[in-house]
Amino acid sequence: MFEQIIYYIFAGLLIFSASMVITVRNPVMAALFLVLSFFSSAAIWLLLEAEFLAIALVLVYVGAVMVLFLFVVMMLDVNLAPLREGFARYLPVGVTVAVLMMIAMGLVVSSSYFKSDEISAPVTLGPGYSNTTELGQALYTDYLYPFEIAGAILLVAIIAAISLTTRKPRSTKAQQPALQVQVRKEDRIKIIKMEAEKQ
Amino acid sequence: MMDLLRNFIIFPVTEILFPSSIQPYAVLTLETLAKIIAIIIPVMITVLYLTFAERKVIGYIQARIGPNRVGLFGFRLWGFGQPIADAVKLVLKEIVIPSGANKTLFIMAPILSIAPSLAAWAVIPFNDVMVLANINAGLLYILALTSLSVYGIIIAGWASNSKYAFLGAMRSAAQIVAYEIAMGFALVGVLIAAGSLNLGDIIQAQNGSVFHWFWLPLLPLVGVYFISGVAETNRAPFDVAEGESEIVAGFHVEYGGLAFSVFFLAEYANMILISMLTSIMFFGGWLSPFQGIPVLGASSMFWLFAKASFFLFMFLWFRATFPRYRYDQIMRLGWKVFIPITIVWLVVAAILVVTGIPPWFD
């Protein structure tokens, strides 16, 4: 019962914050509501004894991705009026996409196709069960090659992103710390010894 | 102490107040609440006197005396009443909300900055039985919560509707994201060495003597972790988010009174947390440095506090010694120096563990 109350609190919070993300006017507030919805879903994962995934969600999405999101959103001077002009024009497309997504989700949930009612409820495991260990075991034994391939793809993506930003010839006046660190006293200061002119 | 509280206060009281079906939950809640209070109040008192220690230590380093006027009960006591006087002054001041500020976020920002720095204390083990939440993924929890402290700062900077505050927030966001990666990688080294994410197990893995502690096999990671911790808490020489000579006071320029003091509390609570974590991860936590000797060798939480105090002194020492970093050099240090060092040392640590090098990994 206790778990159910907690579940409904966080599920309600998740639905509330997710709908606020798309309805609130201010983009910074929208990003903050997205943070709240990540948090609530992490709490729901904790209830499922998936503590590694829950904490990783907070660490990666809330701690890093959303900080950069906020960073960008705060710097933008978003003028909201032109954004709302196209609402009626894009409405049919939006409704079509929404209906298609609802049909797809319905297919997943309805039992005749995916037999979701034959899957038993998750078993509650004792305090000795470590989700982190289980995940590590699965990732580094059964799924080692897919895991390594995913890692390699991510690495390629990182390098591609960096090389895209540095494609142009460097024209900024950024300082080069390597050169600055190498500077010695002799490069900058000339000590001239001279006699005193007056006694 | 906790047993006495449970048997003689919490059990009888909840038996009267709640029906028997929810009494266990009520006992659990009240017990946890009591433990939280038992952790938070000493932390707050430490913060109070850390500010005093900071002014005294920096004073003596700079050949001054520091605050020495405010005493207690009519005694001078080297200025021991100063932090209490400061706290009273801050509480009595008015909180001004600037015009054009986003009022909700302006008030929420200090709360968002102090909440993670207090919540992280939940998994800190004070000795082998005293820990509020002995969770398996304690290390990850710490990483997740320290990465949340940036929200208070960037929201404060944005909601203040002030250019200086906003600049401070932007600087802080970029800096914390950069140093968090180095910090996380340094902790990955610890987790490779200990083979566990549980903070208690990490301390147990360092059992032996001073040379069994992880500072020796993970020497570069100690430096990276502690320096990243200084950067993460926005302390000198990485305090460009405040940068009083360039952007007045940075992200909290518009805050006054109690709202400002909450930011202050969060910063100092974070400092204590980083010191505690450094001693837990690399310096054996509650383990005694003289293991094997009868009385001195007993592991106790006082060893943890002594180690943490040393690192807190380092924070103050840094502030009195180093000039503030230039911003591009902070970024360079984080991305181009610390992250490569940690990645290389992760490989070294993995080799040490796999080959079972004594005395740490045999």
Side-chain angles (χ1 to χ4, degrees):
Chain A
M1 187 200 69
F2 196 55
E3 282 89 358
Q4 271 180 355
I5 294 172
I6 294 175
Y7 170 77
Y8 282 116
I9 289 172
F10 281 109
L13 205 58
L14 176 55
I15 293 169
F16 165 74
S17 53
S19 48
M20 286 305 272
V21 172
I22 51 173
T23 52
V24 81
R25 297 269 167 87
N26 188 335
V28 173
M29 288 301 262
L32 289 173
F33 272 113
L34 191 56
V35 169
L36 183 60
S37 65
F38 279 135
F39 234 96
S40 331
S41 43
I44 291 174
W45 274 356
L46 270 184
L47 284 179
L48 279 172
E49 301 183 5
E51 77 270 6
F52 182 86
L53 289 177
I55 299 175
L57 180 74
V58 173
L59 179 60
V60 175
Y61 282 92
V62 180
V65 174
M66 288 313 295
V67 172
L68 294 176
F69 240 83
L70 268 181
F71 193 93
V72 174
V73 165
M74 283 177 176
M75 302 247 263
L76 294 177
D77 190 20
V78 184
N79 193 359
L80 290 169
L83 281 180
R84 255 180 260 132
E85 269 175 8
F87 185 73
R89 197 146 55 90
Y90 295 123
L91 193 62
V93 185
V95 168
T96 319
V97 171
V99 167
L100 281 176
M101 275 174 71
M102 276 180 76
I103 293 171
M105 277 157 74
L107 288 177
V108 174
V109 174
S110 73
S111 53
S112 60
Y113 289 96
F114 288 91
K115 298 188 171 43
S116 62
D117 58 345
E118 285 177 19
I119 302 167
S120 54
V123 193
T124 313
L125 297 148
Y129 169 78
S130 168
N131 174 251
T132 317
T133 321
E134 297 288 320
L135 209 67
Q137 289 280 358
L139 271 185
Y140 290 102
T141 53
D142 301 345
Y143 299 100
L144 181 61
Y145 290 119
F147 180 72
E148 303 242 302
I149 291 169
I153 291 172
L154 276 176
L155 185 65
V156 170
I158 292 169
I159 295 170
I162 293 171
S163 64
L164 274 177
T165 56
T166 55
R167 199 174 34 176
K168 287 176 201 153
R170 211 183 157 87
S171 62
T172 59
K173 288 184 179 174
Q175 288 152 325
Q176 303 236 335
L179 296 179
Q180 293 180 335
V181 170
Q182 282 170 9
V183 163
R184 292 285 158 267
K185 191 174 73 180
E186 295 79 45
D187 303 337
R188 296 281 166 87
I189 302 175
K190 197 161 86 181
I191 297 174
I192 300 171
K193 284 231 160 65
M194 58 184 289
E195 296 289 315
E197 289 186 357
K198 277 184 186 170
Q199 291 295 315
Chain B
M1 181 67 189
M2 211 58 227
D3 292 333
L4 280 179
L5 189 66
R6 184 170 51 218
N7 292 336
F8 292 103
I9 298 175
I10 294 177
F11 258 123
V13 170
T14 48
E15 227 157 26
I16 300 165
L17 289 180
F18 298 101
S20 59
S21 60
I22 60 166
Q23 199 219 355
Y25 296 119
V27 170
L28 184 72
T29 313
L30 285 177
E31 217 182 348
T32 315
L33 214 58
K35 284 180 187 168
I36 291 172
I37 290 168
I39 293 174
I40 295 298
I41 288 182
V43 169
M44 286 295 143
I45 293 171
T46 317
V47 168
L48 210 59
Y49 276 92
L50 184 57
T51 61
F52 179 66
E54 174 165 35
R55 294 171 68 182
K56 276 285 186 193
V57 166
I58 294 178
Y60 279 111
I61 288 177
Q62 295 170 346
R64 298 183 280 116
I65 295 174
N68 69 340
R69 295 287 127 179
V70 187
L72 284 175
F73 312 114
F75 296 100
R76 185 63 69 76
L77 295 173
W78 313 281
F80 218 63
Q82 184 70 42
I84 297 164
D86 286 343
V88 170
K89 184 198 79 175
L90 281 170
V91 168
L92 293 179
K93 279 198 170 180
E94 185 192 355
I95 301 172
V96 182
I97 297 178
S99 64
N102 188 325
K103 200 175 168 190
T104 330
L105 290 182
F106 188 82
I107 293 169
M108 238 169 69
I111 302 168
L112 275 179
S113 105
I114 197 161
S117 56
L118 293 182
W121 285 86
V123 295
I124 300 285
F126 294 99
N127 63 29
D128 44 1
V129 285
M130 274 173 74
V131 50
L132 175 60
N134 189 9
I135 60 174
N136 280 326
L139 197 67
L140 266 180
Y141 174 84
I142 290 278
L143 268 178
L145 280 178
T146 46
S147 69
L148 291 185
S149 56
V150 64
Y151 277 99
I153 293 174
I154 52 180
I155 290 173
W158 186 78
S160 298
N161 192 25
S162 150
K163 287 191 177 66
Y164 290 130
F166 189 59
L167 280 173
M170 289 292 109
R171 286 180 174 195
S172 174
Q175 176 186 336
I176 288 187
V177 168
Y179 278 87
E180 208 175 82
I181 300 173
M183 206 171 182
F185 270 130
L187 291 185
V188 171
V190 176
L191 110 88
I192 289 177
S196 172
L197 282 170
N198 183 307
L199 294 182
D201 291 348
I202 288 173
I203 294 176
Q204 292 295 356
Q206 305 177 47
N207 202 0
S209 68
V210 177
F211 300 104
H212 286 76
W213 297 349
F214 287 151
W215 66 272
L216 196 52
L218 304 177
L219 195 58
L221 298 186
V222 183
V224 170
Y225 182 77
F226 191 64
I227 296 170
S228 307
V230 176
E232 192 102 327
T233 47
N234 282 321
R235 291 287 302 178
F238 301 102
D239 57 348
V240 289
E242 296 182 25
E244 52 284 55
S245 55
E246 308 139 30
I247 50 172
V248 193
F251 65 93
H252 58 54
V253 67
E254 302 291 347
Y255 283 85
L258 210 53
F260 164 74
S261 65
V262 171
F263 276 119
F264 207 68
L265 277 178
E267 180 180 324
Y268 281 76
N270 268 330
M271 273 165 68
I272 305 172
L273 184 76
I274 294 287
S275 310
M276 286 287 238
L277 286 174
T278 313
S279 22
I280 286 172
M281 307 290 178
F282 300 102
F283 292 89
W286 67 70
L287 296 171
S288 159
F290 311 107
Q291 272 182 311
I293 299 168
V295 180
L296 273 178
S299 48
S300 124
M301 64 170 120
F302 295 107
W303 288 118
L304 179 62
F305 296 153
K307 290 165 188 171
S309 306
F310 173 73
F311 290 111
L312 279 175
F313 179 74
M314 298 263 284
F315 270 98
L316 310 183
W317 196 359
F318 286 163
R319 180 163 171 200
T321 311
F322 296 122
R324 184 175 296 133
Y325 255 92
R326 208 174 67 199
Y327 196 73
D328 64 315
Q329 289 180 341
I330 288 183
M331 282 296 148
R332 175 174 167 270
L333 186 71
W335 289 104
K336 294 188 178 171
V337 180
F338 281 174
I339 295 176
I341 288 178
T342 48
I343 292 176
V344 168
W345 208 259
L346 282 189
V347 178
V348 176
I351 293 171
L352 288 179
V353 171
V354 169
T355 50
I357 302 286
W360 311 291
F361 309 115
D362 44 354

